[in-house]
Amino acid sequence: MPERLKNLLYSIIGRGTWRQVVRMNVSLILSGIVATIIHLDEPVWALITSVIVITQSRLTQTLSTGREQIVGTLIGAAAGMSAIALEQYTSLSVGMVFWVMLMPLAVLVALRPKMRVAIVTLMVVLLFPATGEPFSRPLQRIASIMTGVVVSFAVSFFVLRGEARREVLGNAASLLRRLSDLLSGALQNHPDHDALATIDTMCRSLLQDMNDGVQEAEVEHPSSLAKHDPLVLRLPGLLRRIRSDAIFIARAGTEGETAHTGDILAHERDMLVDVLGQMAARCDQLAATRRGHALPDDDMRPLLDRLEQQDGEHWTPVMRFAVGLLHADMRLAVRNIWSDGRTDDGPFPLGGHPLVAEAGFEPAGKAASVPMPEGRARPSP
């Protein structure tokens, strides 16, 4: 089977694209049915609006797009009805009143680009030919657009909605494996800067996906995510800390810290890769189980014991410091992952971490500064 076809099938089946296809078709069918039941003269506008709204893959995006559709539609409808009134009660032509109403809407869209649907609504109300009373035309089309929005909302909420919890945990597992690759490459005698930067780009993308998933989960459980899924709420912050520690180690490695040690970091490298792999596997297990279903935590204590040890007698001070931070944050993450986030261990919220200020790879000569914790001096080599 050709590689492109394999990737297409994986995208449709593995990434849940088929769910979006089903939701779009259901939204179109229901919009048409509802528009027919309430006897709308132009149900096509309901179908068009439902496609615009339902094409968003996330519930948060659907809500945002729907809100913009509603507000923009109301503004455009007001402009359209004002234009019809001008046309009816003055000697201005349709073209003239259209340009008169278009100018303030153009200013609005320049300031708020998401309100561009207002201009579309004005064109739909005023320029598309229709029969019947002049003011019934905008009301019918507004009703059609609102029908499409409401039906799309309902379909997004109730038809094959992906569970944000599984998405966050799945992305966490992928991120932990990328961090394993990052540390495996960083703790070599001569790390490859470009390869590490490529891995870190993937890590940043996965962190963003996790943050988007948490926002989705907060929509699913408004005001109660901390109670229903504390791990989902905490995971992005926990893994952001680990990524920052890993970047610190990688920066130290690419600037020559590992070259001074030979291969004495091999044991540490193997241990970190193994522990991060077990953390990723645990996240996969959690993603495959229902919320509230407890998993055994027998293997947590051996992991914590391994992370308590640090064979750094012959390491440089910078590397000892960086690996010590990483061990501490990995212990915190292990306790949370194995307890499903129901632990009081560790400082929350997670914003006060010394390295959490988005450290990253920069061109050579620009990236020497890595923030130190408050009250700590940078170790001297």
Side-chain angles (χ1 to χ4, degrees):
M1 183 182 294
E3 189 66 26
R4 287 187 178 180
L5 183 57
K6 286 183 180 179
N7 292 336
L8 178 61
L9 291 175
Y10 172 73
S11 176
I12 294 173
I13 299 173
R15 296 180 182 174
T17 305
W18 65 273
R19 294 174 181 266
Q20 189 66 12
V21 173
V22 172
R23 280 198 293 267
M24 184 177 296
N25 282 278
V26 171
S27 180
L28 280 169
I29 293 169
L30 288 181
S31 294
I33 291 173
V34 172
T36 302
I37 290 174
I38 62 179
H39 303 293
L40 294 175
D41 292 339
E42 297 176 319
V44 64
W45 301 112
L47 302 182
I48 292 172
T49 304
S50 69
V51 170
I52 294 172
V53 176
I54 203 66
T55 48
Q56 308 302 320
S57 59
R58 293 183 179 277
L59 185 57
T60 49
Q61 294 171 338
T62 300
L63 291 173
S64 176
T65 302
R67 183 171 59 250
E68 293 158 10
Q69 287 281 320
I70 291 173
V71 175
T73 296
L74 292 175
I75 294 173
M81 295 183 74
S82 299
I84 292 174
L86 282 174
E87 179 195 359
Q88 293 292 309
Y89 302 117
T90 68
S91 59
L92 296 176
S93 66
V94 173
M96 287 295 295
V97 296
F98 172 72
W99 288 109
V100 168
M101 289 297 126
L102 179 63
M103 290 303 104
L105 292 185
V107 173
L108 172 66
V109 172
L111 297 173
R112 298 287 298 274
K114 291 183 178 180
M115 290 294 102
R116 57 187 174 272
V117 72
I119 294 179
V120 176
T121 304
L122 172 64
M123 297 171 65
V124 168
V125 167
L126 190 63
L127 300 184
F128 281 76
T131 58
E133 295 295 324
F135 288 100
S136 68
R137 179 172 58 192
L139 293 175
Q140 280 283 335
R141 290 175 177 174
I142 293 165
S144 294
I145 293 172
M146 292 300 183
T147 298
V149 172
V150 171
V151 170
S152 298
F153 277 172
V155 171
S156 297
F157 270 101
F158 299 113
V159 178
L160 296 176
R161 185 178 69 189
E163 189 179 3
R165 172 180 178 273
R166 294 188 178 184
E167 180 186 348
V168 172
L169 289 167
N171 284 327
S174 298
L175 176 57
L176 286 164
R177 292 189 175 98
R178 298 292 80 73
L179 290 171
S180 173
D181 296 339
L182 181 67
L183 287 166
S184 178
L187 295 174
Q188 304 284 347
N189 285 348
H190 301 285
D192 184 338
H193 180 282
D194 293 335
L196 296 179
T198 300
I199 296 172
D200 183 51
T201 300
M202 292 187 283
C203 292
R204 286 174 179 268
S205 176
L206 287 166
L207 268 174
Q208 183 58 54
D209 290 342
M210 289 182 66
N211 288 326
D212 292 342
V214 171
Q215 291 180 7
E216 191 91 350
E218 288 174 335
V219 173
E220 293 177 359
H221 300 285
S223 306
S224 61
L225 184 60
K227 178 181 178 182
H228 283 90
D229 258 326
L231 179 59
V232 168
L233 194 61
R234 292 178 170 187
L235 259 180
L238 290 165
L239 299 193
R240 189 178 298 112
R241 291 168 66 129
I242 293 176
R243 175 196 161 268
S244 295
D245 298 338
I247 291 299
F248 190 11
I249 291 173
R251 287 301 317 173
T254 56
E255 290 175 9
E257 292 293 330
T258 55
H260 301 317
T261 63
D263 202 34
I264 62 175
L265 287 166
H267 178 267
E268 175 70 19
R269 180 177 65 241
D270 295 342
M271 185 275 290
L272 290 174
V273 168
D274 182 51
V275 171
L276 287 167
Q278 292 188 56
M279 292 168 69
R282 178 76 175 195
C283 287
D284 281 333
Q285 290 175 355
L286 290 170
T289 59
R290 295 174 63 102
R291 182 185 294 108
H293 180 75
L295 294 176
D297 61 355
D298 301 340
D299 51 347
M300 178 178 72
R301 177 47 54 187
L303 289 181
L304 293 176
D305 291 341
R306 293 176 72 182
L307 290 169
E308 289 285 352
Q309 303 169 5
Q310 183 173 334
D311 302 324
E313 181 181 352
H314 301 291
W315 300 352
T316 64
V318 169
M319 191 58 69
R320 281 201 303 272
F321 174 73
V323 172
L325 282 177
L326 177 63
H327 280 212
D329 288 331
M330 286 179 65
R331 288 197 299 270
L332 177 60
V334 166
R335 286 194 295 269
N336 275 272
I337 292 172
W338 263 256
S339 67
D340 206 13
R342 305 182 189 280
T343 174
D344 293 329
D345 290 341
F348 291 100
L350 297 166
H353 186 262
L355 302 180
V356 86
E358 287 304 319
F361 288 94
E362 300 291 344
K366 283 189 179 180
S369 66
V370 178
M372 290 292 105
E374 229 177 90
R376 290 201 192 190
R378 184 183 296 275
S380 55

